[in-house]
Amino acid sequence: MTNQSITPVSVASERPIDLRDANALKNRLPSASSGLMARADTYCPKVNDLPARLVAAEHVGSFLVDVPRATARQRRALLTFAVEDRIAAPIQSVQVVQGPLDSADPGRLLAFVLSQEVMAEIASADAPYLPEFLMIPRPDPEGGPAWSVWREGDRAVVRASDGIGFALRAAMLPSLWARAGHPKLYALAGTLGDALPAEDLSAAPPPPDPRDIAFSFARPAAAGTEGFAAWRWAAAAAGAALLIHLGLTAFDTAALKRIAQQERIAAEAAIAGVLPGVPLTGDVGPILARLTPTPSDAGRGPFLPLLNEVAGTLAQNSATVGFRRLSWGRRDNTLVVLMQSPGLEDLQRIEQDLESAGFAVRSGAATAGNGGAEVEMRITGGAGG
């Protein structure tokens, strides 16, 4: 009969794991690639004379999500809900941050997920922090899915054409590439081996995207004007489109000159037939008043006069401001404007100028983030109302 009783064993099957430090597992996570850190020193703007720092891709989850159109505050909540079912961690233990994503469909956003512990370290730093894969430009998605790969040793950092990024062991790259449907490959550093048909760009890797390098998880206060560098990249193109969309080009100097020239031509033609021999001076107001019938105010609404007064007041303010949304209430003749500027100080100065001009202004809660600030203002009345 075989003895099946339990007997003590004085030796372990494997070597013990040292758990003396609560950060032991965290310390074993890889750091950012040295080559990508060198690119950060070259391309990223300094803040407070400190270079940008990179967060290893293993610390940052990136997801492409679809959310409905919403305000900035609502969008943060929608991002959190969108990734809650896609991460293997309680949602209370992480923070979700919107990442930069150009040329995306409306409602499609890039979400970054970090642990609360890592985010706390970043928030207390004086230098900007961003994921290391943002140092790799997105490959062109026009020809289909593509990956740009930065390899150093046995570790590879990948940036996909849809904007997400991740890191993995180089030995796992062929199998993951096959499971992803064989996207087109670009090798930006190191060789990928004969098993992967990659286009070699390592001799002259393309620079990172300006909007990507302007991103930071934390926005430290900058000395001088460098703190606005990130905002300028994002607002340079959007500002002109917003102004055109809201009709602010009506106040453009060139347009006003064209209108004045047309009025002068009309006055000269009228004088030639009705008041022959009367010279046309620079002041055409009295002559036009005699020749032009007085327009009737019947049917004229209060919207355009109010918009004209508000725009004239804003034109005298030196602060940089953009309109993201504009609506009008006919019942109380109120403009509801969602304004955006580089900082809260500009919005406060605009509100004070409007009130000084005779407007009644009610402001909602101001929000700040991603290098800018925005607030909804309800503007009633006016200097001429």
Side-chain angles (χ1 to χ4, degrees), residues 61-77:
S62 60
F63 303 92
L64 199 63
V65 297
D66 293 308
V67 299
R69 293 177 179 267
T71 64
R73 180 179 300 177
Q74 294 170 338
R75 189 163 54 245
R76 287 193 293 269

Side-chain angles (χ1 to χ4, degrees), residues 106 119 153 156 168 188 191 211 230 248 252 261 270-272 291 294 314 328 335 355 357 363:
M119 196 65 185
L168 73 165
L188 272 61
T191 60
R211 185 175 180 183
L248 295 183
D252 182 79
Q261 182 65 22
I271 289 176
L291 301 179
T294 303
L314 294 179
W328 174 65
L335 284 178
E355 292 177 343
S363 299

